[in-house]
Amino acid sequence: MKTCWKNFYIVLLLLISLGNFFLILFFVGRIYKYSNESEKSSEICSSHLLVGAEYGNPYVVQEFYRGIKKVCEENNAVAELLVPEIETEKESLSEWCEYAEFVCADAILLFSEDDSFKVRPLSDVHGKFIPVIVAGIADPSGAQISTVMTDVFAQAQAAAEEIISNGWKNPLAIFRSNFRSKIPFQIIQEIEKNLSVLSDRTVSVGTYRLFSDDIIYDEVRQILPGFVRDKKVDVILAYSASDINIIAQSIVELNLADRVSVIGFDQNEKTENFIDNGIVRCVAGADPFLMGKNSADEFFEWKKTGLAKQKCFVNAKISGGNRG
């Protein structure tokens, strides 16, 4: 009888030991699983990048964001786009910078068309430095670690070649009265230099500032016939996509398509229609997708090495004209 009880206790102890053994294995497995999941989670979101822009040109902003997302996918990072929901909302780039500090973002990549915008040094609530990269134009004395810019020389060369190939003699650049950026005027200067070299004569580009700031459709319709018929303007240069489209639409409605064409330096979906029907002969603009891609590349290079290019130039995107 004692032997039976003794064997019973031995079996019971063995069962308890095996139970403890498997229990330990279970917890070790769970710990290992959670450890792996934590590591994978860390890998999936190695960096949280904010992408900020004012309303501007939605087509350009989306392409800029798409370029950034492509690089983020390759680097296990997350990009979050910040834009006003409607055009009348006026969230500024400065407000997006404040938001980046509040959420402790790893970086903020901004699309700016304002060369007076100055980036201030950013840090999160823990005092950690937040790098800022600007695509487009901004005050060069700002605290951005890098500025990704379109090659204005390529834009000017493409426009000049289009003017020469079509035999146009009297180009006119039209701007809104509140336009302040220096970049289009730099492009015009470069166009004049290219035209002088290509045509072996001094060529000047006329400029005209519209009186209105926002509603320019009526004014464009009023001034176009005089410029085309009296001053023999045969090609109009326009900077923003909205201005290009208004000028092109006015040319169609005034039946001037056989006498004057448009060269632009920005585009959206509507501009592509005017390129297709030949009213807009050439757009030598920014490539927002490449600007986004290069902006993200600059961040990850800075993250890896602590260094970034102060200025990074992106080739112009040529649509229409002799470039196709």
Side-chain angles (χ1 to χ4, degrees):
M1 188 70 177
K2 290 182 178 179
T3 302
C4 290
W5 279 108
K6 184 177 180 181
N7 290 336
F8 173 77
Y9 284 123
I10 290 172
V11 172
L12 184 62
L13 287 171
L14 286 173
L15 289 173
I16 292 172
S17 298
L18 284 172
N20 288 335
F21 175 74
F22 285 114
L23 192 62
I24 290 169
L25 285 179
F26 173 78
F27 281 114
V28 168
R30 298 291 288 180
I31 291 169
Y32 179 75
K33 179 183 177 183
Y34 284 127
S35 176
N36 277 353
E37 287 179 352
S38 178
E39 288 178 6
K40 287 179 182 177
S41 176
S42 177
E43 290 175 0
I44 289 172
C45 186
S46 63
S47 299
H48 177 205
L49 277 61
L50 297 183
V51 182
E54 295 173 311
Y55 189 84
N57 183 337
Y59 170 82
V60 169
V61 173
Q62 287 298 327
E63 283 295 291
F64 177 63
Y65 180 49
R66 189 168 69 87
I68 292 170
K69 283 202 301 182
K70 179 175 176 58
V71 177
C72 285
E73 289 168 1
E74 297 167 354
N75 289 272
N76 299 316
V78 173
E80 177 186 352
L81 179 61
L82 305 172
V83 289
E85 293 184 1
I86 55 177
E87 188 170 4
T88 54
E89 293 183 5
K90 298 296 181 183
E91 282 90 347
S92 67
L93 297 177
S94 297
E95 288 172 317
W96 296 140
C97 288
E98 292 175 3
Y99 179 72
E101 292 180 310
F102 176 74
V103 299
C104 301
D106 293 301
I108 182 165
L109 281 53
L110 302 173
F111 189 88
S112 170
E113 296 178 307
D114 180 6
D115 51 13
S116 67
F117 170 62
K118 186 171 183 177
V119 177
R120 62 176 177 81
L122 301 186
S123 58
D124 64 20
V125 293
H126 306 293
K128 179 184 175 183
F129 173 69
I130 299 176
V132 181
I133 296 173
V134 174
I137 52 177
D139 189 326
S141 66
Q144 62 266 28
I145 63 170
S146 182
T147 303
V148 179
M149 310 172 69
T150 301
D151 185 352
V152 297
F153 299 101
Q155 290 179 278
Q157 182 178 354
E161 289 176 355
E162 190 67 23
I163 291 170
I164 293 296
S165 67
N166 286 281
W168 292 323
K169 304 295 183 183
N170 297 302
L172 173 71
I174 294 179
F175 298 98
R176 298 187 187 224
S177 63
N178 64 346
F179 201 85
R180 297 290 179 266
S181 174
K182 300 174 184 176
I183 299 296
F185 298 101
Q186 293 176 4
I187 295 175
I188 289 173
Q189 290 177 351
E190 291 302 319
I191 289 174
E192 290 178 333
K193 291 178 184 178
N194 277 274
L195 288 175
S196 296
V197 171
L198 293 171
S199 64
D200 200 27
R201 65 185 179 87
T202 301
V203 179
S204 61
V205 178
T207 59
Y208 179 84
R209 278 188 178 270
L210 298 164
F211 290 104
S212 58
D213 291 340
D214 299 314
I215 304 173
I216 69 169
Y217 177 72
D218 290 340
E219 187 177 352
V220 168
R221 284 175 56 85
Q222 289 174 4
I223 66 169
L224 274 183
F227 276 115
V228 174
R229 293 174 182 143
D230 302 334
K231 298 189 178 182
K232 309 301 180 185
V233 168
D234 45 18
V235 59
I236 295 172
L237 309 180
Y239 188 69
S240 73
S242 60
D243 289 358
I244 294 167
N245 296 334
I246 287 172
I247 292 169
Q249 183 64 38
S250 299
I251 288 172
V252 172
E253 293 174 359
L254 293 167
N255 296 316
L256 296 173
D258 60 336
R259 302 188 63 176
V260 63
S261 299
V262 180
I263 291 178
F265 302 98
D266 186 22
Q267 71 182 91
N268 56 23
E269 295 94 332
K270 189 174 180 180
T271 313
E272 293 174 359
N273 295 329
F274 288 116
I275 293 174
D276 291 340
N277 65 26
I279 304 299
V280 176
R281 296 297 296 270
C282 174
V283 173
D287 188 329
F289 176 81
L290 277 183
M291 294 181 81
K293 186 177 181 301
N294 284 24
S295 297
D297 283 338
E298 284 300 303
F299 165 71
F300 287 108
E301 181 65 22
W302 173 85
K303 184 179 178 182
K304 180 180 177 181
T305 66
L307 300 173
K309 298 174 186 174
Q310 188 173 6
K311 290 184 179 180
C312 180
F313 291 95
V314 176
N315 289 335
K317 181 180 179 180
I318 314 300
S319 303
N322 296 321
R323 306 293 188 90

